[in-house]
Amino acid sequence: MKFNTKTIHGGQHDVDPAYGAVMPPIYQVSTYSQSTPGGHKGFEYSRSGNPTRAALERALASIENGQYGLAFGSGLAAIDAVIKTLQPGDEVVSTNDLYGGTYRLFTQVFEGFGIKFHFIGMENADSIEQYINENTKMIWVETPTNPMMNIIDIKACAAVAKKHNVLLAVDNTFATPYLQQPLDLGADIVMHSATKYLGGHSDVVMGALIVNDKTLAEKLYFIQNASGAICGPQDSFLMLRGLKTLHVRMQRHCENGKAVAEYLANHPKIESVYWPGLSTHPNHEVAKAQMKDYGGMISFVTKGNDYEEAIKIVENLNVFTLAESLGGVESLAGHPASMTHASIPKEEREKTGVVDSLIRLSVGIEDAEDLIADLKQAIG
Ligand code: P1T
């Protein structure tokens, strides 16, 4: 099955044996009757498993070309489960430009449990090796990175991971499997904030993990059940509905992303535009090789690098909504330094370019002309 067909049918065969409904019913239920202890029809308690969630987990596995999918109550709950496979004393080499909440979870929760994180630039995968020692268990990659849109070569990272026998986990939130499929490039774990493009309508908070290795899947399932950060059946249904249009939405996000990035790149008041589809982007060639297209996430700074001006722009936008999050059908604008990345200390975030004047756009699927007109009136 090819990708567009998988988003609609992947793992969805015979979802309602009772009546043949084409969408899985919402099994709004916590428990299931048993004829004798252990004598059930595949489900015993909805933390451990729920038919609507199971249908979604099969769909998630299918679109990422994986064997096993797991759905969680948020993207951070999914990351939390991944790091819980580690032990005190273990070390992780992580991308230095990443979602502020991921950084907060790593540094303010898991460092307290004795796990050490090295945050480094990974545009050159060779630079990872010097941080690997006998305690290293995992490489954590976000690509494109949030919010600087750096591109990291997943295949090259996978080669380093294999050489040192450590796991490679890739946060695929910004790209989605429409643009890149990390398991095919050698990653061991794919993670999503499904809240974003997978759901696509800004109406669900959810996380996902997809893996191929059975032992790893069992470990993650154990944590999903033991720690209990699952998503509910209603949200699973909404996510399945969103997934079915992922490919058409992404196509438009990419087209509009290109139009907006090119408009900004040619604007006399704009200093820098961070979008991997621009030939001037430092990792454009890796993006070209690794991704099918370049997505709808764009960051930029105005000339003069002026904080007040950046705030004025985001406040003046009308079609773009000033809000956290990304990946929905509607266009959003954000100010990372005070919003999504506020939990990263200023001196740390400025090292990666997250300056106070940076603006991040999640370009939606409206008419590109309206988006450009909105930027034009807001930037001046
Ligand atoms: O919000 P949640 O579903 O828990 O996902 C966390 C997360 C993980 N990884 C990436 C790359 C993310 O962008 C996020 C969430 N990000 C935002 C809310 C944001 O506006 O950047």
Side-chain angles (χ1 to χ4, degrees):
M1 231 190 257
K2 295 179 76 176
F3 183 78
N4 296 349
T5 312
K6 279 185 176 183
T7 63
I8 296 163
H9 297 290
Q12 302 307 295
H13 179 66
D14 204 13
V15 287
D16 177 26
Y19 299 109
V22 296
M23 280 296 282
I26 302 171
Y27 283 89
Q28 190 68 50
V29 61
S30 60
T31 193
Y32 308 80
S33 71
Q34 307 190 15
S35 54
T36 182
H40 55 74
K41 295 178 176 148
F43 296 93
E44 54 191 341
Y45 184 61
S46 280
R47 171 164 35 73
S48 314
N50 171 284
T52 318
R53 192 177 94 219
L56 169 65
E57 292 178 331
R58 293 194 304 271
L60 291 166
S62 170
I63 59 171
E64 280 289 6
N65 290 341
Q67 290 295 315
Y68 307 96
L70 298 123
F72 293 82
S74 69
L76 282 173
I79 302 173
D80 180 85
V82 172
I83 305 302
K84 280 179 179 161
T85 62
L86 306 180
Q87 299 293 321
D90 287 350
E91 298 190 12
V92 177
V93 186
S94 166
T95 316
N96 60 355
D97 180 41
L98 78 174
Y99 172 55
T102 308
Y103 180 87
R104 180 177 57 198
L105 177 66
F106 287 174
T107 55
Q108 295 189 50
V109 178
F110 283 111
E111 279 186 358
F113 290 102
I115 295 169
K116 187 168 175 182
F117 295 86
H118 302 270
F119 296 97
I120 66 162
M122 290 187 176
E123 288 82 274
N124 176 3
D126 293 342
S127 63
I128 299 171
E129 287 205 86
Q130 59 188 291
Y131 294 91
I132 294 185
N133 60 44
E134 71 277 10
N135 297 323
T136 310
K137 296 289 169 1
M138 189 176 288
I139 299 171
W140 184 272
V141 167
E142 236 185 64
T143 182
T145 61
N146 180 0
M148 294 310 296
M149 303 302 298
N150 295 313
I151 302 297
I152 296 164
D153 185 336
I154 297 172
K155 243 189 209 167
C157 291
V160 174
K162 295 277 170 304
K163 180 173 164 196
H164 294 277
N165 197 26
V166 302
L167 293 178
L168 173 64
V170 176
D171 182 335
N172 206 25
T173 300
F174 270 35
T176 83
Y178 175 82
L179 296 178
Q180 70 191 12
Q181 290 162 317
L183 295 178
D184 290 351
L185 299 172
D188 300 288
I189 302 173
V190 173
M191 176 265 150
H192 280 278
S193 170
T195 316
K196 312 294 165 13
Y197 288 105
L198 298 191
H201 297 75
S202 305
D203 52 9
V204 181
V205 173
M206 191 182 286
L209 299 175
I210 302 99
V211 301
N212 268 324
D213 182 77
K214 188 164 190 272
T215 310
L216 183 56
E218 283 169 355
K219 233 182 193 180
L220 291 166
Y221 173 70
F222 176 82
I223 293 164
Q224 184 194 39
N225 183 44
S227 291
I230 49 136
C231 54
Q234 294 270 358
D235 284 354
S236 299
F237 176 87
L238 281 174
M239 186 56 56
L240 268 167
R241 183 161 85 160
L243 279 184
K244 288 177 194 287
T245 55
L246 176 66
H247 52 298
V248 281
R249 286 185 285 108
M250 285 309 293
Q251 194 179 341
R252 180 65 72 87
H253 282 296
C254 293
E255 286 167 16
N256 284 358
K258 183 175 193 297
V260 169
E262 286 175 352
Y263 170 75
L264 292 172
N266 290 314
H267 196 295
K269 285 194 181 168
I270 305 297
E271 175 74 37
S272 310
V273 180
Y274 305 98
W275 185 67
L278 293 173
S279 58
T280 49
H281 186 287
N283 320 123
H284 176 65
E285 290 307 317
V286 180
K288 205 163 150 184
Q290 175 166 288
M291 300 168 73
K292 179 176 168 173
D293 206 330
Y294 305 103
M297 294 302 297
I298 301 169
S299 294
F300 68 97
V301 289
T302 50
K303 284 202 172 115
N305 200 9
D306 185 32
Y307 167 77
E308 307 290 340
E309 190 179 14
I311 298 299
K312 207 177 82 206
I313 292 171
V314 293
E315 284 176 352
N316 284 346
L317 288 164
N318 296 320
V319 183
F320 284 84
T321 303
L322 175 60
E324 310 250 351
S325 204
L326 58 111
V329 291
E330 67 289 304
S331 291
L332 302 180
H335 180 247
S338 65
M339 296 168 69
T340 49
H341 293 70
S343 55
I344 304 177
K346 188 175 163 75
E347 64 279 11
E348 283 306 311
R349 64 177 156 72
E350 289 197 338
K351 276 186 209 161
T352 59
V354 187
V355 291
D356 285 349
S357 56
L358 187 79
I359 295 171
R360 191 189 73 180
L361 300 178
S362 171
V363 179
I365 64 170
E366 303 94 335
D367 282 306
E369 291 80 0
D370 290 330
L371 300 178
I372 288 169
D374 194 28
L375 288 163
K376 191 172 181 183
Q377 64 78 25
I379 298 168

